[in-house]
Amino acid sequence: MIRSTLTQLRATATGSLAKRWYQVGPNSVRLGMVIEHKGNPLIVVSKEHGGTGRGQAVIKLSLKHAVTGARTHERFRGSDSLEVMVLAQNKYQYLYTDGGKVHLMDMLTFEELSMGLDTFEGSKDHLALLEDGMTVVVQALVPQPGPISWRLPSRHTYKVKSVEMRIEKEKGSTFVNAELENGANVKIPSFIKPGESVVINLQDITYVSRA
């Protein structure tokens, strides 16, 4: 389905669409870029340089399908040309989760968007850190196929609901378990009290500072 969609888009492309695509050589490809190859949108996961034994450079790319997540490996010559697709990142507001989907709202147009939990970027355990009104990032391939994945912001401020009691004999700044207002559990310094707000790094779920 994706192949037929991309093929049709290329066949009927006008100037507006052509401006959203550009070509680069394999040597210029960067990790995270989305390329169109064999009619599919593929994210570059890793890149290696090699040779054929005849002195010709070969670039090996590890690729992940932007929609299905399927992985593949491809080899390209340095003289090859690759089509790069535009991966847009837009801010949405988290509304609620229902039936295996998250419901989000575009913060510019106020239009609602539903995305499956399986399109979440990161560990499924991190979904517990979702909070009403949180700003999340939606990645979309433009002009098609549109939104493909979403992720939490890099940092977020939470209110502490309860803190595990500290053992008196311990000295210094000790990290203890704490429950946030949204029910998630994190480790914070023992000097933080219930009712205070803290900033949490959502990349590795670590305490950053008081809010």
Side-chain angles (χ1 to χ4, degrees), residues 12 35 50 52 65 83 97 116 133 135 159 192-193 196 201:
T12 60
I35 63 172
T52 61
H65 198 287
E83 294 273 4
T97 300
T135 298
K159 192 170 184 178
I192 301 294
K193 303 293 189 276
E196 291 190 75
N201 183 330

Side-chain angles (χ1 to χ4, degrees), residues 39-57:
N40 295 305
L42 305 171
I43 302 172
V44 179
V45 177
S46 67
K47 174 181 174 182
E48 294 181 15
H49 292 270
T52 61
R54 300 178 182 177
Q56 187 174 19

Side-chain angles (χ1 to χ4, degrees), residues 1-7 9 17 20-21 34-36 39-43 65-68 85-88 113-115 138-149:
M1 181 176 179
I2 296 299
R3 172 177 293 194
S4 60
T5 300
L6 292 177
T7 300
L9 284 169
L17 176 60
R20 296 176 182 266
W21 299 60
V34 182
I35 63 172
E36 185 221 353
N40 295 305
L42 305 171
I43 302 172
H65 198 287
V67 179
T68 67
M85 302 178 71
V86 176
L87 186 62
L113 170 69
S114 297
M115 297 193 70
V138 173
Q139 293 203 120
L141 285 170
V142 293
Q144 292 289 341
I148 59 172
S149 65

Side-chain angles (χ1 to χ4, degrees), residues 92 95 104-113:
Y92 279 72
L95 300 177
L104 314 170
M105 182 177 69
D106 188 308
M107 298 177 69
L108 294 177
T109 66
F110 303 109
E111 293 181 355
E112 289 194 23
L113 170 69

Side-chain angles (χ1 to χ4, degrees), residues 77-129:
R77 295 171 298 179
S79 58
D80 288 338
S81 183
L82 301 175
E83 294 273 4
V84 177
M85 302 178 71
V86 176
L87 186 62
Q89 301 190 43
N90 302 310
K91 292 182 179 180
Y92 279 72
Q93 185 180 65
Y94 170 70
L95 300 177
Y96 61 94
T97 300
D98 179 53
K101 292 184 177 182
V102 291
H103 297 266
L104 314 170
M105 182 177 69
D106 188 308
M107 298 177 69
L108 294 177
T109 66
F110 303 109
E111 293 181 355
E112 289 194 23
L113 170 69
S114 297
M115 297 193 70
L117 293 177
D118 58 346
T119 62
F120 175 67
E121 295 180 24
S123 170
K124 296 299 183 286
D125 294 340
H126 292 185
L127 288 170
L129 291 156

Side-chain angles (χ1 to χ4, degrees), residues 22 60 87 89 112 133 138 147 161 172 175-176 199:
Y22 61 97
K60 303 175 185 177
L87 186 62
Q89 301 190 43
E112 289 194 23
V138 173
K161 180 179 181 181
F175 279 75
V176 296
V199 178

